[in-house]
């Protein structure tokens, strides 16, 4: 009985391997994501950006005029969301804190964290 089960297991494994149902690449590689572009365009009136690992995620966002973006600080360190032109600034946002800004005109708006100037992001506002 054991030898019959072994033989059956061997036949199944061999057929899976030869049919492509199993491969070393599949076992060693992380699951592949669907081939979809990153979600940076938002047609809704709200968009969320997380602050995590000393980075804005997503770093670059495209929204329509009238949209609001809410940044949430998920780091333990304080951060700011400060426009490069100085027209808006969140002040220091502590862990789990939020800041929301509404974009009423089209254009490209770049911003950074004054506490960690290497943290940068951009927002494209379209009509």
């Amino acid at each position: 009985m054991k030898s019959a089960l072994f033989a059956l297991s061997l036949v199944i494994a061999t057929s899976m391997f030869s049919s492509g149902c199993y491969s070393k690449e599949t076992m060693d590689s992380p699951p592949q994501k669907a081939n979809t572009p990153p979600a940076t365009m938002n047609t809704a009136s709200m968009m969320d950006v997380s602050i995590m690992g000393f980075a804005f995620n997503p770093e670059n966002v495209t929204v329509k005029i009238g949209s609001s973006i809410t940044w949430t600080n998920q780091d333990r360190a304080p951060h700011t969301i400060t426009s490069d032109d100085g027209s808006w600034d969140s002040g220091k946002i502590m862990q789990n804190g939020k800041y929301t800004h509404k974009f009423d005109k089209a254009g490209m708006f770049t911003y950074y964290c004054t506490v960690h100037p290497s943290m940068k992001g951009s927002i494209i506002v379209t009509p």
Side-chain angles (χ1 to χ4, degrees):
M1 183 71 165
K2 286 184 181 179
S3 62
L5 286 175
F6 177 76
L8 180 59
S9 297
L10 186 59
V11 168
I12 292 171
T14 303
S15 72
M16 286 179 65
F17 187 79
S18 64
S19 70
C21 292
Y22 167 87
S23 70
K24 182 175 181 339
E25 180 180 311
T26 302
M27 296 299 291
D28 293 341
S29 303
Q32 298 297 315
K33 293 182 180 179
N35 193 11
T36 57
T40 58
M41 178 62 181
N42 183 22
T43 56
S45 61
M46 290 292 296
M47 175 76 180
D48 293 319
V49 174
S50 63
I51 305 168
M52 187 173 11
F54 292 84
F56 298 111
N57 185 26
E59 184 177 322
N60 304 305
V61 177
T62 301
V63 295
K64 298 275 189 189
I65 288 177
S67 296
S68 294
I69 298 178
T70 298
W71 288 264
T72 303
N73 183 4
Q74 297 177 355
D75 282 339
R76 290 185 180 182
H79 296 292
T80 72
I81 293 86
T82 306
S83 66
D84 285 352
D85 68 4
S87 62
W88 42 274
D89 180 28
S90 65
K92 284 188 181 175
I93 303 170
M94 304 311 284
Q95 185 177 24
N96 298 319
K98 296 177 184 276
Y99 171 72
T100 301
H101 184 78
K102 184 175 182 179
F103 293 88
D104 291 325
K105 64 179 185 175
M108 181 169 177
F109 304 92
T110 53
Y111 66 95
Y112 68 105
C113 173
T114 60
V115 182
H116 309 98
S118 64
M119 292 175 58
K120 298 178 182 189
S122 69
I123 299 141
I124 296 174
V125 181
T126 62

